[in-house]
Amino acid sequence: MQSTAPDIPVIDQAYSKISNSITVEWRPVCGATGYLLTAQDRDSCIETVVTKSPGTVMGLKPATLYRITIRSINSGGKSQPSPFRKAKTVLAAPVLSVSSPSCDSIAVSWKAVFMAAGFSVSLMRSDGLGRMLKENTTNTSLIFTNLDPGTLYIIKAYAWNVDGIPGDDFTYNQRTSPNAPADVQVAFNRGALRAIVSWMPAEGALIYSVTASNGLLKLKCNTSSASCVVSSLQCGSEYYVSVTAYNDAGSSKPTDAVSLKTIPCAPVNISIEEDEPGHLLVSWSSVNFGHYYMVFVKSDDGLEAHCNTSHTQCHFQSDCGFTYVISVFAYNKAGQSPLGDVFNYTTAPCCPSDLRAAAVSSHAVQVTWAAVRGAEVYQTRAAGGGGLELCNGTATACTLSALRCDTRYNVTVYAFSEARGSNMSCASKPVATAPCSPEIKNISKEALSVISVHWQSNNEEATYIVTARGEAGLWHCTSSGSSCTLINLPCGSTFSVSAIARSPAGQSLPSYSVPLETAPCCPSDLILTQVTESVTNISWSVGMGAQTYVTTLESPKGQAKCHTLQNYCLLGCITCGTNYTVSLKAISETGLTSSCTYQGYSSSACCPSGVKLYRLGNNGIRVYWRASDEKINYSTDLHGSKGNFTCSPSSGLSHCDITEIPCGDVYMVVVSPVTDKGPKLTFCPKKIYSVTCSGSSVGMVIYRGKSNAEQRI
């Protein structure tokens, strides 16, 4: 037998416990093998097939009202939909963003939830200790304070609607950042230049970071234990040591810094000299945290002496020809400095006599002296200008060739022996080098053919001579200052400019040459020729030194400009009957520009418009036109194969009559303004007319132009 569709089920209730679903309960229908649940809102319809009650429709939108219907299903088909029930999904859960801004607080924030009237947020320790904190709010953020540092908390939040019905909840685990470690201890190991830092562990801390800073350098050490070794400490430094605790929530505040002073560094800049015969002076630079110093001096005969001082120098008695081994140590409460440089010092023979020094150039001085007994090597020193130049050799003459120009030097010669060294108290000889070469800093144009040259004056007393050398000749100027002026330089020329300095000590080498280019010359001749009513040709003579030219015609009605390599140019957009100012710029290859002005230019009068011909009789023609200016006179020319005809009307008229003109011919008609400046203008528009012989007093004139228009008379 064929089965029939089952009965219509009846919904008992429909409700939502999760924001994306609605659960439906109904009474079973006899013969039904399944049920089709339908949830419909304004935008969508979602169906789900279930086998029994209760059934749940998934994939719904939060906080949305749905019409719920149900159909029973068997092999015979589906029943009609049940009467609908309305059910609304609960609110979506707020999505939390959680952080621990300090060791005793947790900040919670979330985005607004659709249809939410308020939010409930609760917080409690993950280990269950303590009480649960709960806050109800209509805001989208709040902060829990007075929490335990380094502790894991569970945060749960949900939204509720205006009826107080809660929505989905959201759970988040967050740990508070740790507290700063306590009882920081620092122990210094002077032999290894390192420090052992220890502390009491902080609750919830996973990693500790130790920082030792001396202002210029930061040393760090990371560990998960309660102690750490900071290596590579520097001598002579004061470090400030702090400890910071970290976990996955962030970091604690650094502990209060503990001061650590290391041993002093070995003294540097140690110098040994015989401040007077028989006395050695040992001096050095002070070192950071050096409370006192000890100097040990041992001679090559086995005798030893030492000096204990809080200053930076010590005196010892010495004898000529002895070698002394000298070392210096610094001390403070942390201990003794490392061993620094160890010096050997040998006393010197006598100073050379008959010392002579003379300058031979700006950078060289020749020195000679008399030989002394026992000297094996001589050293010549030139001190001056903030520097020291040396020359070593076995001869009794030396040329110091790396000296500064225009500088006074004190030249001293020391005699050395392998066993005894040198006597450093020898007298010096003053000498001055020749002046320095000037350096040209700037060349500026003061006026036409006048150039100012500026240089850097590095000499105390010198006279400077500036020379400009070119194909046009030589030009000079002289000054004791830092500038001078070259006059009467020709335009469009190139020069090489250099300078020398002279003083009583000699003459300097020439300065580096600086190229100089004078502005190009303006063309002497300039001719303007009007080509058409709106085009003018300008030509000019060549300007020396010019590569390109810019010509400009300017009037209140506009401007025409041309930039060209040639000495001529066509300028368009010229307004007829207009006065123009004429200017030209001559530009050199390097961009130097000369602005040239010339006599003004007046463009020709404007050509008339609307030229027409009318028959006056069998042999007469009247030519009409529209004048561009009532004050202008015009001339009419007709050119044909049977003859040429001309007429000039009285002033102010805009027509002209020509009699006895043969018919049956084609004429070219030109109406041009009459000027008193030269020949008749040839560029006004030409029109071609055909004059027919009609056999009566009425004829026809046909205009053969671009438009092939006809005019009937």
Side-chain angles (χ1 to χ4, degrees), residues 511-535:
S511 68
Y512 292 118
S513 296
V514 176
L516 169 64
E517 177 186 1
T518 56
C521 300
C522 287
S524 57
D525 298 321
L526 186 138
I527 301 173
L528 290 95
T529 304
Q530 190 150 353
V531 179
T532 69
E533 191 175 13
S534 62
V535 177

Side-chain angles (χ1 to χ4, degrees), residues 197 199 206-210 221-229 243-244 246:
V197 185
W199 57 88
L206 302 178
I207 296 175
Y208 299 91
S209 178
V210 179
C221 164
N222 296 326
T223 181
S224 59
S225 64
S227 66
C228 193
V229 177
V243 184
T244 304
Y246 292 85

Side-chain angles (χ1 to χ4, degrees), residues 538 540 549-553 560-564 568-571:
I538 303 180
W540 54 87
Y549 303 88
V550 177
T551 57
T552 305
L553 296 182
K561 182 181 288 188
C562 173
H563 193 177
T564 179
Y568 60 87
C569 186
L570 285 175
L571 290 176

